[in-house]
C-alpha cells in the first residue's frame, strides 16, 4: 500500500490558493486553475520588490506567474520547500 502524503495549502492572496497533496500542485483562483504533476518537476521561484511575483516553472519550460501578498510569503516558502522535497524524491520519467 502507498502511504498517503500530507496535504498542504498556502494562499498567495485573498483570491489565489496553492494546494499540494504530495503528487500534484494545484493553483486555484488566478485566471484558470492549473495542475502540475511531480513528473513535470515543478519548482517555485519568487521575485520581490514593488511587484511581488511567484512563478511555477516546470522542467519543460512551462511558466505560470502569479502575484502574491508579502505577508503570505512564509507559507508559500514552506510550500515551495515541501514541493522541492517531493520532486527530489520522485522518480524521473
Amino acid at each position: 500500500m502507498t502511504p498517503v502524503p500530507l496535504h498542504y495549502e498556502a494562499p498567495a492572496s485573498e483570491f489565489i490558493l496553492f494546494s499540494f497533496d504530495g503528487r500534484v500542485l494545484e493553483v486555484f483562483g488566478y485566471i484558470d486553475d492549473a495542475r502540475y504533476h511531480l513528473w513535470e518537476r515543478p519548482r517555485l521561484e519568487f521575485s520581490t520588490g514593488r511587484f511581488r511575483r511567484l512563478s511555477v516553472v516546470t522542467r519543460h519550460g512551462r511558466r505560470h506567474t502569479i502575484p502574491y501578498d508579502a505577508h503570505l510569503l512564509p507559507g508559500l516558502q514552506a510550500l515551495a520547500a515541501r514541493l522541492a522535497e517531493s520532486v527530489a524524491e520522485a522518480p524521473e520519467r
Side-chain angles (χ1 to χ4, degrees):
M1 184 152 79
T2 305
V4 177
L6 295 177
H7 189 106
Y8 190 88
E9 291 185 344
S13 71
E14 184 179 347
F15 305 105
I16 303 167
L17 178 68
F18 282 80
S19 178
F20 181 59
D21 68 1
R23 295 178 302 157
V24 178
L25 174 67
E26 296 178 293
V27 183
F28 300 102
Y30 187 72
I31 311 290
D32 289 325
D33 299 335
R35 294 172 54 94
Y36 302 90
H37 297 266
L38 285 184
W39 63 264
E40 295 178 272
R41 317 298 283 175
R43 68 183 184 280
L44 301 183
E45 297 177 351
F46 297 91
S47 66
T48 57
R50 186 170 170 207
F51 299 106
R52 293 169 305 280
R53 299 276 186 251
L54 160 62
S55 295
V56 181
V57 183
T58 69
R59 71 174 170 186
H60 299 293
R62 182 175 166 204
R63 179 178 291 269
H64 190 171
T65 302
I66 299 158
Y68 68 88
D69 293 341
H71 70 280
L72 299 172
L73 182 59
L76 292 166
Q77 289 172 323
L79 182 136
R82 174 81 173 96
L83 176 63
E85 181 181 296
S86 294
V87 166
E89 294 172 357
E92 286 279 342
R93 274 185 150 187

